[in-house]
Amino acid sequence: MSEFKELVFSGVQPTGNLHLGNYLGALQKFVALQDSHECIYCVVDLHSLTATMAHDDLADQTRSITAAFLASGIDPKKNIVFNQSQVLQHAELAWIFNCVARIGWMNRMTQFKDKAGKDRENASLGLLAYPSLMAADILVYRATHVPVGDDQKQHLELTRDIAQKFNNDFSRRIAELGYGVDMEVGEEKVNGFFPLTEPLIDGAITRVMSLRDGSKKMSKSDPSDLSRINLTDEADAIAKKIKKAKTDPEPLPSELGGLIERPEAQNLVGIYAALSGTTSTSVLTEFGGRQFSEFKPALAELAVEKLAPIAGEMRRILADPAYIDGVLREGSGRAREKAEATMKMVREIIGLIDG
Ligand code: AQP
């Protein structure tokens, strides 16, 4: 009786400067997981086309995200690091998943609603189908775990729905071909071709909020640069942004309960905890009763201490684009082999004649 081998997959879009939210929600976890798991990390360049087709600097953005991966400590020899568009099997499986997924499922996605705004009719078809490509990214490797920020939870649930529908729709073929794998779903034991992938959303802060508005997530596309700390910000910029971060007039509480209804305070405490590798509770044990005028400089110092080496290393790596392209080429070759092994079976399950 076989079972899925644990495999981690995650991706980041080349749509602008990476920020502290991407770092704490994704990159920091990617680095930690490479010690315990086989990992595949992808720059999802095809996803970046869903918002705007014409990016003058797409290639450079792709190199910049790759440099951020490497500068954060991801080892491209131990793991697979590549860009999505070099492995065509992602797009092939995405098409198949477009035919598995239902339009109603896509219409319910909050990210689609947020990004399409009021003018949904005018959003690209790609933006609507984005989660189907994301499911393909993950399932073309039959990955079992995906480290992501909390904002991606709904897309991961949809990935499971797509896997489950494919497993059900083709259950007879999967069994005939002997391609099924046993897995536990809650109390139940089921058999299927695709795993029901688990999100890994944990840590001291799972959704880093904007520094200007504690009800909005920190995001690359926020028009205000003061809303986020970019991985490439200089020390003075980091200190200035933290100093200007919105807060309330009360001192920090000594217990977690005191952060309820204080989203900005909760955010800054969570950021401190995640950067220092502790919990919000222990941050409050240290800073409870103190004013933001004392806490903010401590947070700025910690953020600079953690982020400045990454920014420096990114600059060093980016000075050698040929090296970055070589990492992506080599990683793509390794990824393609794995993806093609899955697609051979998928084509056979569906009945697509393959050579
Ligand atoms: N604010 C956040 N807090 C925690 N995690 C976050 N992530 C993004 N924002 C936060 C996580 O970063 C990973 C890569 O994200 P992405 O670039 O692929 O997509 P995104 O979520 O669309 O990022 P942005 O910054 O919000 O970009 P725009 O503004 O273009 O939409 C993911 O794991 C995500 O969870």
Side-chain angles (χ1 to χ4, degrees):
M1 202 187 289
S2 63
E3 277 188 7
F4 287 105
K5 184 169 172 267
E6 289 203 351
L7 175 69
V8 167
F9 176 93
S10 199
V12 175
Q13 294 190 72
T15 45
N17 278 333
L18 285 186
H19 52 71
L20 189 62
N22 299 126
Y23 180 68
L24 296 177
L27 294 189
Q28 201 183 45
K29 293 181 195 160
F30 295 1
V31 175
L33 282 162
Q34 64 183 348
D35 290 333
S36 53
H37 285 77
E38 184 183 343
C39 305
I40 304 180
Y41 296 129
C42 183
V43 185
V44 286
D45 47 7
L46 294 176
H47 278 284
S48 73
L49 305 180
T50 57
T52 329
M53 259 313 271
H55 293 254
D56 288 342
D57 55 353
L58 179 55
D60 283 342
Q61 294 271 1
T62 302
R63 291 188 187 107
S64 171
I65 304 287
T66 312
F69 282 0
L70 305 180
S72 303
I74 292 169
D75 178 351
K77 292 267 176 269
K78 189 166 183 290
N79 309 285
I80 296 181
V81 174
F82 74 108
N83 60 311
Q84 186 187 29
S85 60
Q86 291 204 59
V87 181
L88 299 176
Q89 288 79 356
H90 288 236
E92 182 185 1
L93 188 57
W95 176 256
I96 290 166
F97 285 169
N98 280 345
C99 302
V100 172
R102 309 288 93 183
I103 292 176
W105 300 0
M106 301 293 166
N107 270 326
R108 279 196 288 278
M109 295 294 109
T110 47
Q111 183 173 292
F112 173 68
K113 290 189 215 164
D114 290 347
K115 292 200 170 176
K118 291 206 168 61
D119 195 9
R120 274 206 213 175
E121 291 289 307
N122 209 21
S124 74
L125 187 53
L127 188 66
L128 182 68
Y130 178 114
S132 171
L133 178 58
M134 178 165 158
D137 297 334
I138 297 163
L139 294 175
V140 82
Y141 303 101
R142 302 213 274 175
T144 54
H145 294 87
V146 178
V148 275
D150 176 67
D151 58 314
Q152 290 296 332
K153 196 170 169 200
Q154 198 185 29
H155 288 164
L156 258 299
E157 280 159 13
L158 193 106
T159 299
R160 290 166 70 92
D161 291 342
I162 290 176
Q164 200 152 23
K165 185 161 175 355
F166 183 96
N167 289 343
N168 289 342
D169 289 355
F170 292 101
S171 57
R172 189 178 49 78
R173 285 291 293 158
I174 293 168
E176 276 168 14
L177 291 162
Y179 288 161
V181 175
D182 288 321
M183 56 192 138
E184 278 175 30
V185 182
E187 306 280 278
E188 241 184 295
K189 266 213 175 306
V190 297
N191 185 278
F193 180 73
F194 287 119
L196 302 185
T197 308
E198 297 283 346
L200 296 172
I201 307 175
D202 49 10
I205 189 161
T206 55
R207 185 182 291 233
V208 178
M209 308 310 278
S210 156
L211 298 180
R212 306 301 295 160
D213 177 352
S215 67
K216 273 170 49 184
K217 79 162 186 161
M218 187 177 283
S219 151
K220 295 176 202 132
S221 52
D222 191 313
S224 166
D225 193 53
L226 285 176
S227 69
R228 65 183 159 262
I229 294 174
N230 301 305
L231 281 194
T232 48
D233 279 345
E234 302 283 344
D236 315 353
I238 295 178
K240 181 177 137 201
K241 287 175 180 181
I242 292 177
K243 191 169 174 206
K244 284 186 171 281
K246 186 176 167 204
T247 42
D248 55 48
E250 300 298 315
L252 283 169
S254 301
E255 293 186 2
L256 275 186
L259 289 175
I260 294 170
E261 314 236 339
R262 296 180 65 189
E264 284 86 12
Q266 189 174 24
N267 191 37
L268 296 186
V269 169
I271 291 173
Y272 192 102
L275 283 173
S276 58
T278 56
T279 58
S280 293
T281 305
S282 63
V283 175
L284 293 181
T285 307
E286 190 182 344
F287 288 98
R290 307 235 219 133
Q291 298 290 343
F292 282 104
S293 55
E294 283 179 76
F295 180 64
K296 282 179 167 180
L299 176 58
E301 196 183 323
L302 175 64
V304 170
E305 181 194 316
K306 295 286 169 187
L307 301 182
I310 299 176
E313 187 58 5
M314 270 182 79
R315 276 193 290 276
R316 192 187 66 77
I317 296 169
L318 281 168
D320 189 354
Y323 165 71
I324 299 175
D325 292 359
V327 166
L328 293 174
R329 193 178 321 111
E330 200 257 341
S332 298
R334 288 161 63 203
R336 202 177 294 124
E337 237 173 74
K338 286 181 181 290
E340 180 55 18
T342 303
M343 288 313 298
K344 274 209 166 310
M345 292 188 274
V346 169
R347 292 181 205 117
E348 207 180 344
I349 290 167
I350 296 180
L352 300 168
I353 294 172
D354 184 15

Coordinates of all heavy atoms in Angstrom, one line a residue, residues 69-142:
F69 N 15.0 34.5 -3.1 CA 15.0 33.1 -2.7 C 16.4 32.7 -2.2 O 16.6 32.3 -1.1 CB 14.7 32.1 -3.8 CG 13.2 32.0 -4.2 CD1 12.2 32.8 -3.5 CD2 12.8 31.2 -5.2 CE1 10.9 32.7 -3.9 CE2 11.4 31.0 -5.5 CZ 10.5 31.8 -4.9
L70 N 17.4 33.0 -3.0 CA 18.8 32.5 -2.7 C 19.3 33.3 -1.6 O 20.0 32.8 -0.7 CB 19.7 32.7 -4.0 CG 19.2 32.0 -5.3 CD1 20.2 32.2 -6.4 CD2 18.9 30.5 -5.1
A71 N 19.1 34.6 -1.6 CA 19.6 35.5 -0.5 C 19.0 35.2 0.8 O 19.6 35.3 1.9 CB 19.4 37.0 -0.9
S72 N 17.8 34.7 0.8 CA 17.1 34.3 2.1 C 17.7 33.0 2.7 O 17.5 32.7 3.8 CB 15.6 34.1 1.9 OG 15.1 35.3 1.4
G73 N 18.4 32.2 1.8 CA 19.0 31.0 2.3 C 18.5 29.7 1.6 O 18.9 28.6 2.1
I74 N 17.8 29.9 0.6 CA 17.3 28.6 -0.1 C 18.5 28.1 -0.9 O 19.1 28.8 -1.7 CB 16.1 28.9 -1.0 CG1 14.9 29.3 -0.1 CG2 15.8 27.7 -1.9 CD1 13.7 29.8 -0.9
D75 N 18.8 26.8 -0.8 CA 19.9 26.2 -1.5 C 19.4 25.6 -2.8 O 18.6 24.6 -2.8 CB 20.5 25.1 -0.5 CG 21.6 24.3 -1.2 OD1 21.8 24.5 -2.4 OD2 22.2 23.6 -0.4
P76 N 19.8 26.1 -3.9 CA 19.2 25.6 -5.2 C 19.8 24.2 -5.6 O 19.3 23.7 -6.6 CB 19.7 26.7 -6.2 CG 20.9 27.3 -5.6 CD 20.8 27.2 -4.1
K77 N 20.8 23.7 -4.9 CA 21.3 22.4 -5.2 C 20.4 21.3 -4.5 O 20.0 20.3 -5.0 CB 22.7 22.2 -4.7 CG 23.7 23.1 -5.5 CD 24.3 22.3 -6.7 CE 25.2 23.1 -7.6 NZ 24.5 23.7 -8.7
K78 N 20.1 21.7 -3.2 CA 19.3 20.8 -2.4 C 17.9 20.7 -2.8 O 17.2 19.7 -2.8 CB 19.5 21.2 -0.9 CG 18.9 20.3 0.1 CD 19.4 20.7 1.5 CE 18.9 19.7 2.5 NZ 17.4 19.8 2.7
N79 N 17.4 21.9 -3.2 CA 16.0 22.1 -3.6 C 15.9 22.4 -5.1 O 16.9 22.6 -5.7 CB 15.3 23.2 -2.9 CG 15.6 23.2 -1.4 OD1 14.9 22.4 -0.7 ND2 16.5 24.0 -0.9
I80 N 14.7 22.3 -5.6 CA 14.5 22.8 -7.0 C 14.0 24.2 -7.0 O 13.0 24.5 -6.4 CB 13.5 21.8 -7.8 CG1 14.1 20.4 -7.8 CG2 13.2 22.4 -9.2 CD1 13.2 19.4 -8.6
V81 N 14.8 25.1 -7.7 CA 14.4 26.5 -7.8 C 14.3 26.8 -9.3 O 15.2 26.6 -10.1 CB 15.5 27.4 -7.2 CG1 15.1 28.9 -7.4 CG2 15.6 27.2 -5.7
F82 N 13.1 27.3 -9.8 CA 12.9 27.5 -11.2 C 11.8 28.4 -11.5 O 11.1 28.9 -10.6 CB 12.6 26.1 -11.9 CG 11.2 25.6 -11.6 CD1 10.3 25.6 -12.7 CD2 10.9 25.2 -10.4 CE1 9.0 25.2 -12.4 CE2 9.6 24.7 -10.1 CZ 8.6 24.7 -11.1
N83 N 11.6 28.8 -12.8 CA 10.5 29.7 -13.1 C 9.5 28.9 -13.9 O 9.8 28.1 -14.8 CB 10.9 31.0 -13.8 CG 11.7 30.7 -15.1 OD1 12.6 29.9 -15.2 ND2 11.3 31.4 -16.2
Q84 N 8.3 29.1 -13.6 CA 7.1 28.3 -14.0 C 7.0 28.2 -15.6 O 6.8 27.1 -16.1 CB 5.9 29.1 -13.6 CG 4.5 28.5 -13.8 CD 3.5 29.6 -13.4 OE1 3.7 30.8 -13.4 NE2 2.3 29.1 -12.9
S85 N 7.3 29.3 -16.3 CA 7.1 29.2 -17.8 C 8.0 28.3 -18.5 O 7.8 27.9 -19.6 CB 7.1 30.6 -18.4 OG 8.4 31.2 -18.1
Q86 N 9.1 27.9 -17.8 CA 10.1 27.0 -18.5 C 9.6 25.5 -18.4 O 10.2 24.6 -18.9 CB 11.5 27.1 -17.9 CG 12.2 28.4 -18.2 CD 13.7 28.2 -18.1 OE1 14.3 27.4 -18.8 NE2 14.3 29.0 -17.2
V87 N 8.5 25.3 -17.6 CA 8.0 23.9 -17.5 C 6.6 23.9 -18.0 O 5.6 24.2 -17.3 CB 8.1 23.4 -16.0 CG1 7.6 22.0 -15.8 CG2 9.6 23.5 -15.5
L88 N 6.4 23.6 -19.3 CA 5.1 23.7 -20.0 C 4.0 22.9 -19.4 O 2.8 23.2 -19.5 CB 5.3 23.4 -21.4 CG 6.3 24.2 -22.2 CD1 6.4 23.7 -23.7 CD2 5.9 25.7 -22.2
Q89 N 4.4 21.8 -18.6 CA 3.4 20.9 -18.0 C 2.5 21.7 -17.1 O 1.4 21.2 -16.8 CB 4.1 19.8 -17.3 CG 4.8 18.7 -18.3 CD 6.1 19.2 -18.9 OE1 6.6 20.3 -18.7 NE2 6.7 18.3 -19.7
H90 N 3.0 22.8 -16.5 CA 2.1 23.5 -15.6 C 0.9 24.0 -16.4 O -0.3 23.9 -15.9 CB 2.8 24.8 -15.0 CG 3.8 24.5 -14.0 ND1 3.8 25.0 -12.7 CD2 4.9 23.7 -14.0 CE1 4.9 24.5 -12.0 NE2 5.6 23.7 -12.8
A91 N 1.1 24.6 -17.6 CA 0.0 25.2 -18.4 C -0.9 24.1 -18.9 O -2.1 24.2 -19.0 CB 0.6 26.0 -19.5
E92 N -0.2 22.9 -19.2 CA -1.0 21.8 -19.7 C -2.0 21.3 -18.7 O -3.2 21.1 -18.9 CB -0.1 20.7 -20.2 CG -0.8 19.5 -20.8 CD 0.1 18.3 -21.1 OE1 1.3 18.4 -20.9 OE2 -0.5 17.3 -21.6
L93 N -1.5 21.1 -17.5 CA -2.4 20.6 -16.4 C -3.4 21.7 -16.0 O -4.6 21.3 -15.7 CB -1.5 20.2 -15.2 CG -2.3 19.5 -14.1 CD1 -3.1 18.2 -14.6 CD2 -1.5 19.1 -12.9
A94 N -3.0 22.9 -16.1 CA -4.0 24.0 -15.8 C -5.2 24.0 -16.7 O -6.3 24.2 -16.3 CB -3.3 25.4 -15.9
W95 N -4.9 23.7 -18.0 CA -6.0 23.6 -18.9 C -7.0 22.4 -18.5 O -8.2 22.6 -18.5 CB -5.5 23.4 -20.4 CG -6.7 23.2 -21.3 CD1 -7.2 22.0 -21.8 CD2 -7.7 24.2 -21.6 NE1 -8.4 22.3 -22.5 CE2 -8.7 23.6 -22.4 CE3 -7.8 25.6 -21.3 CZ2 -9.8 24.3 -22.9 CZ3 -8.9 26.3 -21.9 CH2 -9.9 25.6 -22.6
I96 N -6.4 21.3 -18.2 CA -7.2 20.2 -17.8 C -8.0 20.6 -16.5 O -9.2 20.3 -16.4 CB -6.3 18.9 -17.5 CG1 -5.8 18.5 -18.9 CG2 -7.0 17.8 -16.8 CD1 -4.7 17.5 -18.9
F97 N -7.4 21.3 -15.6 CA -8.1 21.7 -14.4 C -9.1 22.7 -14.7 O -10.1 22.8 -14.0 CB -7.1 22.2 -13.3 CG -6.3 21.1 -12.6 CD1 -5.2 21.4 -11.8 CD2 -6.7 19.8 -12.8 CE1 -4.5 20.4 -11.2 CE2 -5.9 18.7 -12.2 CZ -4.9 19.1 -11.4
N98 N -8.9 23.5 -15.7 CA -10.0 24.5 -16.1 C -11.3 23.7 -16.5 O -12.4 24.2 -16.4 CB -9.6 25.3 -17.4 CG -8.7 26.4 -17.0 OD1 -8.6 26.8 -15.8 ND2 -8.0 27.0 -18.0
C99 N -11.1 22.5 -17.0 CA -12.2 21.7 -17.4 C -12.8 20.9 -16.2 O -13.9 20.3 -16.2 CB -11.8 20.8 -18.5 SG -11.2 21.7 -19.9
V100 N -12.0 20.8 -15.1 CA -12.4 20.1 -13.9 C -13.2 21.1 -13.0 O -14.3 20.8 -12.5 CB -11.2 19.4 -13.1 CG1 -11.7 18.9 -11.8 CG2 -10.5 18.4 -14.0
A101 N -12.6 22.2 -12.8 CA -13.1 23.2 -11.9 C -14.4 23.8 -12.5 O -14.6 23.8 -13.7 CB -12.1 24.3 -11.6
R102 N -15.3 24.4 -11.6 CA -16.5 25.0 -12.0 C -16.4 26.5 -12.0 O -15.7 27.0 -11.1 CB -17.7 24.5 -11.1 CG -17.8 23.0 -10.9 CD -18.3 22.3 -12.1 NE -17.3 21.8 -13.0 CZ -17.5 21.2 -14.2 NH1 -18.7 21.0 -14.6 NH2 -16.5 20.7 -14.9
I103 N -17.1 27.2 -12.8 CA -17.0 28.7 -12.9 C -17.4 29.2 -11.5 O -16.8 30.2 -11.0 CB -17.8 29.3 -14.0 CG1 -17.2 28.9 -15.4 CG2 -17.9 30.8 -13.9 CD1 -17.9 29.3 -16.6
G104 N -18.5 28.6 -10.9 CA -19.0 29.1 -9.6 C -17.9 29.1 -8.6 O -17.8 30.0 -7.7
W105 N -17.0 28.0 -8.6 CA -15.9 28.0 -7.6 C -15.0 29.2 -7.8 O -14.6 29.8 -6.8 CB -15.0 26.7 -7.8 CG -15.7 25.4 -7.7 CD1 -17.1 25.2 -7.4 CD2 -15.1 24.1 -7.8 NE1 -17.3 23.8 -7.4 CE2 -16.1 23.1 -7.7 CE3 -13.8 23.7 -8.1 CZ2 -15.9 21.8 -7.7 CZ3 -13.6 22.3 -8.2 CH2 -14.6 21.4 -8.0
M106 N -14.7 29.5 -9.0 CA -13.7 30.6 -9.3 C -14.4 32.0 -8.9 O -13.7 32.8 -8.3 CB -13.4 30.7 -10.8 CG -12.7 29.4 -11.3 SD -11.1 29.2 -10.5 CE -10.8 27.5 -11.0
N107 N -15.7 32.1 -9.2 CA -16.3 33.4 -8.9 C -16.4 33.6 -7.4 O -16.6 34.8 -7.0 CB -17.8 33.3 -9.4 CG -17.9 33.8 -10.8 OD1 -17.2 34.7 -11.2 ND2 -18.7 33.2 -11.6
R108 N -16.3 32.6 -6.6 CA -16.3 32.8 -5.1 C -15.0 33.2 -4.5 O -15.0 33.6 -3.3 CB -16.8 31.5 -4.5 CG -18.3 31.3 -4.5 CD -18.8 30.2 -3.6 NE -18.4 28.9 -4.0 CZ -19.1 28.2 -4.8 NH1 -20.1 28.6 -5.4 NH2 -18.7 26.9 -5.2
M109 N -13.9 33.2 -5.3 CA -12.6 33.5 -4.7 C -12.5 35.0 -4.3 O -12.7 35.8 -5.2 CB -11.5 33.2 -5.7 CG -11.4 31.7 -6.1 SD -10.9 30.7 -4.6 CE -12.4 29.8 -4.3
T110 N -12.2 35.2 -3.1 CA -12.1 36.6 -2.6 C -11.0 37.4 -3.3 O -11.1 38.6 -3.6 CB -11.9 36.7 -1.1 OG1 -10.9 35.9 -0.7 CG2 -13.2 36.4 -0.3
Q111 N -9.9 36.7 -3.6 CA -8.8 37.4 -4.3 C -9.3 37.9 -5.7 O -9.0 39.0 -6.1 CB -7.6 36.5 -4.5 CG -6.4 37.3 -5.2 CD -5.1 36.6 -5.2 OE1 -4.5 36.3 -4.2 NE2 -4.7 36.2 -6.4
F112 N -10.1 37.1 -6.4 CA -10.6 37.5 -7.7 C -11.5 38.7 -7.5 O -11.4 39.7 -8.2 CB -11.4 36.3 -8.4 CG -12.1 36.8 -9.6 CD1 -11.3 37.2 -10.8 CD2 -13.5 36.8 -9.7 CE1 -12.0 37.6 -11.9 CE2 -14.1 37.2 -10.8 CZ -13.4 37.7 -11.9
K113 N -12.4 38.6 -6.5 CA -13.4 39.7 -6.3 C -12.6 41.0 -6.0 O -12.9 42.0 -6.5 CB -14.3 39.4 -5.1 CG -15.3 38.3 -5.5 CD -16.3 38.2 -4.4 CE -16.7 36.7 -4.1 NZ -17.4 36.5 -2.9
D114 N -11.6 40.9 -5.1 CA -10.8 42.1 -4.7 C -10.1 42.6 -5.9 O -10.1 43.8 -6.2 CB -9.7 41.7 -3.7 CG -10.3 41.4 -2.3 OD1 -11.5 41.7 -2.2 OD2 -9.6 40.9 -1.5
K115 N -9.4 41.7 -6.7 CA -8.6 42.3 -7.8 C -9.4 42.7 -9.0 O -9.0 43.6 -9.7 CB -7.5 41.2 -8.2 CG -6.5 41.0 -7.1 CD -5.2 40.4 -7.6 CE -4.2 40.4 -6.5 NZ -2.9 39.8 -6.8
A116 N -10.5 42.0 -9.2 CA -11.3 42.4 -10.4 C -12.1 43.7 -10.1 O -12.4 44.4 -11.0 CB -12.3 41.3 -10.8
G117 N -12.4 43.9 -8.8 CA -13.1 45.1 -8.4 C -14.5 45.1 -9.0 O -15.1 44.0 -9.2
K118 N -15.0 46.3 -9.2 CA -16.4 46.4 -9.7 C -16.6 46.0 -11.1 O -17.6 45.6 -11.6 CB -16.9 47.9 -9.5 CG -17.0 48.3 -8.1 CD -18.0 49.4 -7.9 CE -18.4 49.6 -6.4 NZ -17.2 50.0 -5.6
D119 N -15.5 46.1 -11.9 CA -15.6 45.9 -13.3 C -15.1 44.5 -13.7 O -14.2 44.2 -14.4 CB -14.6 46.9 -14.0 CG -14.9 47.0 -15.5 OD1 -15.9 46.4 -16.0 OD2 -14.1 47.6 -16.2
R120 N -15.9 43.5 -13.2 CA -15.5 42.1 -13.3 C -15.5 41.6 -14.8 O -14.7 40.8 -15.2 CB -16.5 41.2 -12.6 CG -16.2 41.0 -11.2 CD -16.7 39.7 -10.7 NE -17.1 39.9 -9.3 CZ -17.7 39.0 -8.6 NH1 -18.1 37.8 -9.2 NH2 -17.9 39.1 -7.4
E121 N -16.5 42.2 -15.6 CA -16.6 41.8 -17.0 C -15.3 42.1 -17.7 O -15.0 41.5 -18.7 CB -17.8 42.6 -17.7 CG -19.1 42.2 -17.2 CD -19.5 40.8 -17.6 OE1 -19.4 40.5 -18.9 OE2 -19.9 39.9 -16.8
N122 N -14.6 43.1 -17.2 CA -13.4 43.5 -17.9 C -12.1 42.9 -17.4 O -11.0 43.2 -17.9 CB -13.3 45.0 -17.8 CG -12.6 45.6 -19.0 OD1 -12.6 45.0 -20.1 ND2 -12.1 46.8 -18.8
A123 N -12.2 42.0 -16.4 CA -11.0 41.4 -15.8 C -10.6 40.3 -16.8 O -11.4 39.8 -17.6 CB -11.4 40.7 -14.5
S124 N -9.3 39.9 -16.8 CA -8.9 38.9 -17.8 C -9.4 37.6 -17.3 O -9.6 37.3 -16.1 CB -7.4 38.9 -17.9 OG -6.8 38.3 -16.7
L125 N -9.6 36.7 -18.3 CA -10.0 35.3 -18.1 C -9.0 34.6 -17.2 O -9.3 33.8 -16.4 CB -10.2 34.6 -19.4 CG -10.8 33.2 -19.4 CD1 -12.1 33.2 -18.7 CD2 -11.0 32.8 -20.9
G126 N -7.7 35.0 -17.4 CA -6.6 34.5 -16.7 C -6.8 34.8 -15.2 O -6.4 33.9 -14.3
L127 N -7.2 36.0 -14.8 CA -7.4 36.3 -13.4 C -8.5 35.4 -12.8 O -8.3 35.0 -11.6 CB -7.8 37.8 -13.3 CG -7.8 38.4 -11.9 CD1 -6.4 38.4 -11.3 CD2 -8.4 39.8 -11.8
L128 N -9.5 35.1 -13.5 CA -10.5 34.2 -13.0 C -10.0 32.8 -12.8 O -10.3 32.1 -11.8 CB -11.7 34.2 -13.9 CG -12.9 33.4 -13.5 CD1 -13.6 34.0 -12.3 CD2 -14.0 33.3 -14.7
A129 N -9.2 32.4 -13.8 CA -8.7 31.0 -13.8 C -7.4 30.8 -13.0 O -6.9 29.7 -12.8 CB -8.4 30.6 -15.2
Y130 N -6.9 31.9 -12.4 CA -5.7 31.9 -11.6 C -5.6 30.7 -10.6 O -4.6 30.0 -10.6 CB -5.6 33.2 -10.8 CG -4.4 33.5 -9.9 CD1 -3.5 34.5 -10.2 CD2 -4.3 32.8 -8.7 CE1 -2.4 34.7 -9.4 CE2 -3.2 33.0 -7.9 CZ -2.3 34.0 -8.2 OH -1.3 34.3 -7.4
P131 N -6.6 30.4 -9.8 CA -6.5 29.3 -8.9 C -6.3 27.9 -9.6 O -5.8 27.0 -9.0 CB -7.8 29.4 -8.1 CG -8.4 30.7 -8.4 CD -7.9 31.1 -9.7
S132 N -6.8 27.8 -10.8 CA -6.7 26.6 -11.5 C -5.2 26.3 -11.9 O -4.7 25.2 -11.8 CB -7.6 26.7 -12.7 OG -7.5 25.7 -13.5
L133 N -4.5 27.4 -12.3 CA -3.1 27.3 -12.6 C -2.3 27.1 -11.3 O -1.4 26.3 -11.3 CB -2.6 28.6 -13.3 CG -1.1 28.7 -13.6 CD1 -0.7 27.6 -14.5 CD2 -0.8 30.0 -14.3
M134 N -2.7 27.7 -10.2 CA -2.1 27.5 -9.0 C -2.2 26.0 -8.5 O -1.3 25.4 -8.1 CB -2.6 28.4 -7.9 CG -2.0 28.2 -6.5 SD -2.5 29.6 -5.5 CE -2.2 28.9 -3.9
A135 N -3.4 25.4 -8.7 CA -3.6 24.0 -8.4 C -2.7 23.1 -9.3 O -2.1 22.2 -8.8 CB -5.1 23.6 -8.6
A136 N -2.5 23.5 -10.5 CA -1.7 22.8 -11.4 C -0.2 22.9 -11.0 O 0.5 21.9 -11.0 CB -1.8 23.3 -12.9
D137 N 0.2 24.1 -10.6 CA 1.6 24.2 -10.1 C 1.9 23.2 -9.0 O 3.0 22.6 -9.0 CB 1.8 25.6 -9.5 CG 1.6 26.8 -10.5 OD1 1.8 26.6 -11.7 OD2 1.2 27.9 -10.0
I138 N 1.0 23.1 -8.1 CA 1.2 22.2 -6.9 C 1.0 20.7 -7.3 O 1.9 19.9 -7.0 CB 0.1 22.6 -5.8 CG1 0.3 24.0 -5.4 CG2 0.2 21.6 -4.7 CD1 -0.9 24.6 -4.7
L139 N 0.0 20.4 -8.0 CA -0.4 19.0 -8.2 C 0.4 18.4 -9.4 O 0.5 17.1 -9.4 CB -1.9 18.9 -8.5 CG -2.7 19.3 -7.2 CD1 -4.2 19.3 -7.6 CD2 -2.5 18.4 -6.1
V140 N 1.1 19.2 -10.2 CA 1.9 18.5 -11.3 C 3.1 17.8 -10.6 O 3.7 17.0 -11.2 CB 2.3 19.6 -12.3 CG1 3.5 20.4 -12.0 CG2 2.5 18.9 -13.7
Y141 N 3.4 18.2 -9.4 CA 4.4 17.5 -8.6 C 3.8 16.6 -7.6 O 4.5 16.0 -6.8 CB 5.4 18.5 -7.9 CG 6.0 19.4 -9.0 CD1 5.5 20.7 -9.2 CD2 7.0 18.9 -9.8 CE1 6.0 21.5 -10.2 CE2 7.4 19.7 -10.9 CZ 7.0 21.0 -11.0 OH 7.4 21.8 -12.0
R142 N 2.5 16.5 -7.5 CA 1.7 15.8 -6.5 C 2.3 16.2 -5.1 O 2.6 15.4 -4.2 CB 1.8 14.3 -6.7 CG 1.2 14.0 -8.1 CD 0.4 12.7 -8.2 NE 1.3 11.6 -8.5 CZ 0.9 10.3 -8.5 NH1 -0.3 10.0 -8.2 NH2 1.8 9.4 -8.8

